[in-house]
Amino acid sequence: NFLRDNRSMAMAEEQLATLSAAAPAWRESSAAERVALAAEVLSKVHEDEWSRAGDWVARETELNLIAAADRAVPGATVRFVFGSILSDWLKTYIAATSGRESLARMEEDAADGSSRYGPIGLGPGAPGCVAELWADPAGAVREATPPQPPPQPLQRQPSDGAVTLVLGAGNQSFLGVVDVLSRCLQHAEPVLLKLHPLRPWLSPPLLLILAPLIARNIVAVTLDRGVEQASALCTHPLVGHVHLTGSEETATAVRASLDRAGRPHVGITSELGCATPWLVSPGAWSGEELRHAATLIATAKKGNGGCNCLSAQVVVVARDWPQRGEFLSLLTATIAAQPTVPAYYPGAHKRRAALGALYGARASPVVGASLPHTRLTAEDEVLLLDCGVAGEASFDGAALRTEAFCPALAVVQLPGGADPGEYLCGAAVPFVNSDACLGSLSCSILAPASAPAQSVNAAVAALK
């Protein structure tokens, strides 16, 4: 193992040297050059050789504890999601960078004065759904609230490295390669991708997809060889930027490692999870609307065993909403009706158990339906946590101050709810904006057709 790890680190250092040598020319590359390379990568995606490379599809389904005899449909789903996301990303990049596609500004601005652009189709990952981009009006200067002194810009030192190290995500197979494409094509940086230890089998398909970039010596892929090697790569003199998708704890540890190594000028970008809140607006809901809302939350919680960075973690409802009890009963029944998938991510069962011990009698497991041939344990089932009513002595918001990353779902009641608009902007949004609810990555608002659109839009605009 010692010899293998030494050889692996030596190979990674060779990769870094090669990437670093190519950095000056790549930084000066034109948009047209990057578009041409993106088109080559897109061709590799469409050739589909990657989908049959190695045993990665079988290993992905095995990770979800699906028996070999039952892997055909899940395997096809894995390939479809992986390929369609990469294809959509590359097509969007090529069209936008080439100037062939631009977002149309919508007639009506957002409630906070932002310019609205769209609608933007979200592709096969969210069929039928559209997005809007909200941006400050051209030339606008947004003032910090409260006023803060301007940050001192970091001055790049001549000794700073030229290579970006991407620490691949472990919970979704496509995230690492999207990060590579973003840093390499959008930012013109040479990239070394270190695969997550949970998914080493992604190397064969990625080597095929990224072949045009690898041939130009602007992308390389290395396997994970443990914490010591990962730390050595982060602090390597040729690395000038680290990008990661993970927890706040991981980002903090990387920053501390760089500072201890005397590398404070190495930048970090990180996509971190949070205790994602789902705000359910009070008001008059139809039965169909309640069922749809319950299905959305249950699906968002049970997907990937609750191990997604935007997995539903906190359901916020109004204490005085007449349909509150009906909705929460329906949500519990919907969670039970949906198939349970294993929470395979390392530490998920431990985090769930810790929350269960913390909440005691206020923690209720919901046993869901089982997929054929899927080997589940009790720890894979969603654990409902009753936090109580915010502001009351019995309220326990501990589950809101940590990213669960496991099958646990907290329910919080807020006082009020007679007036939906007043409740959303006066109670719900301020609560999730506060330190009571960890992070700021993602949030959802569910409202019935009867809710005033102006109030819902104002709530969206007020989210931070």
Side-chain angles (χ1 to χ4, degrees):
N1 283 342
F2 175 77
L3 291 175
R4 183 196 66 185
D5 290 349
N6 276 353
R7 286 197 298 269
S8 175
M9 190 60 198
M11 289 175 61
E13 288 186 335
E14 289 179 10
Q15 290 173 313
L16 286 172
T18 301
L19 293 167
S20 183
W26 183 238
R27 277 198 300 267
E28 299 301 320
S29 62
S30 66
E33 288 179 81
R34 295 196 293 275
V35 164
L37 272 176
E40 290 184 39
V41 176
L42 181 60
S43 294
K44 291 293 183 182
V45 174
H46 289 171
E47 286 172 9
D48 199 35
E49 185 181 354
W50 57 270
S51 73
R52 300 179 297 276
D55 61 351
W56 78 279
V57 174
R59 299 292 295 276
E60 286 285 326
T61 54
E62 182 183 330
L63 190 63
N64 282 279
L65 304 182
I66 299 172
D70 213 46
R71 291 177 184 168
V73 172
T77 303
V78 165
R79 291 194 296 271
F80 172 76
V81 171
F82 190 95
S84 63
I85 286 176
L86 295 189
S87 179
D88 281 354
W89 194 99
L90 288 161
K91 288 177 180 177
T92 302
Y93 170 80
I94 291 169
T97 308
S98 303
R100 297 201 305 268
E101 182 177 300
S102 60
L103 294 177
R105 182 170 178 177
M106 304 175 77
E107 289 186 7
E108 190 174 328
D109 288 342
D112 64 351
S114 297
S115 301
R116 295 166 63 219
Y117 296 87
I120 308 162
L122 296 182
C129 296
V130 294
E132 293 178 12
L133 173 67
W134 289 15
D136 289 336
V141 178
R142 178 178 294 188
E143 293 185 5
T145 306
Q148 300 287 334
Q152 296 299 313
L154 287 175
Q155 300 297 320
R156 285 188 72 86
Q157 302 298 307
S159 59
D160 279 357
V163 179
T164 290
L165 173 67
V166 168
L167 303 177
N171 65 319
Q172 293 289 354
S173 58
F174 58 83
L175 287 175
V177 65
V178 169
D179 289 340
V180 168
L181 294 173
S182 174
R183 300 310 307 183
C184 184
L185 297 176
Q186 290 181 282
H187 299 274
E189 300 166 354
V191 178
L192 175 63
L193 169 64
K194 185 195 76 65
L195 294 176
H196 193 278
L198 196 60
R199 285 182 152 89
W201 50 79
L202 290 177
S203 182
L206 293 187
L207 291 176
L208 287 170
I209 291 170
L210 298 172
L213 306 178
I214 294 171
R216 285 282 298 267
N217 293 325
I218 50 177
V219 165
V221 180
T222 186
L223 295 176
D224 180 89
R225 297 298 186 191
V227 175
E228 186 176 337
Q229 188 213 38
S231 179
L233 289 175
C234 288
T235 59
H236 196 281
L238 295 181
V239 171
H241 188 97
V242 179
H243 177 82
L244 65 97
T245 298
S247 68
E248 185 175 356
E249 289 77 7
T250 301
T252 301
V254 170
R255 181 74 271 167
S257 177
L258 288 166
D259 291 346
R260 285 195 304 270
R263 306 278 296 156
H265 295 284
V266 174
I268 297 179
T269 47
S270 46
E271 188 261 275
L272 309 177
C274 68
T276 299
W278 282 61
L279 312 183
V280 182
S281 170
W285 291 66
S286 69
E288 183 180 355
E289 287 175 330
L290 286 177
R291 286 190 295 274
H292 182 59
T295 299
L296 287 173
I297 296 175
T299 304
K301 178 71 268 179
K302 300 193 85 167
N304 208 38
C307 299
N308 286 326
C309 53
L310 40 62
S311 174
Q313 186 172 324
V314 185
V315 178
V316 181
V317 295
R319 180 193 59 193
D320 302 328
W321 177 34
Q323 292 176 285
R324 172 176 57 81
E326 178 187 1
F327 172 72
L328 292 178
S329 295
L330 184 58
L331 176 60
T332 302
T334 306
I335 292 172
Q338 285 197 7
T340 296
V341 297
Y344 63 83
Y345 200 82
H349 289 171
K350 184 178 179 180
R351 289 187 292 274
R352 181 188 182 278
L355 287 169
L358 186 64
Y359 278 81
R362 298 168 72 170
S364 306
V366 182
V367 179
S370 296
L371 290 169
H373 308 298
T374 302
R375 303 181 297 280
L376 299 172
T377 68
E379 289 76 17
D380 293 314
E381 305 292 357
V382 172
L383 190 67
L384 284 180
L385 307 171
D386 180 10
C387 297
V389 181
E392 295 188 357
S394 60
F395 179 73
D396 186 350
L400 285 59
R401 296 191 293 272
T402 183
E403 183 185 7
F405 220 65
C406 70
L409 182 63
V411 177
V412 171
Q413 297 179 47
L414 298 181
D419 183 321
E422 182 180 321
Y423 167 81
L424 280 176
C425 292
V429 169
F431 178 79
V432 298
N433 278 347
S434 73
D435 290 339
C437 201
L438 175 75
S440 59
L441 174 71
S442 46
C443 178
S444 291
I445 298 178
L446 301 178
S450 63
Q454 185 177 1
S455 298
V456 176
N457 290 335
V460 173
L463 288 169
K464 303 299 180 187

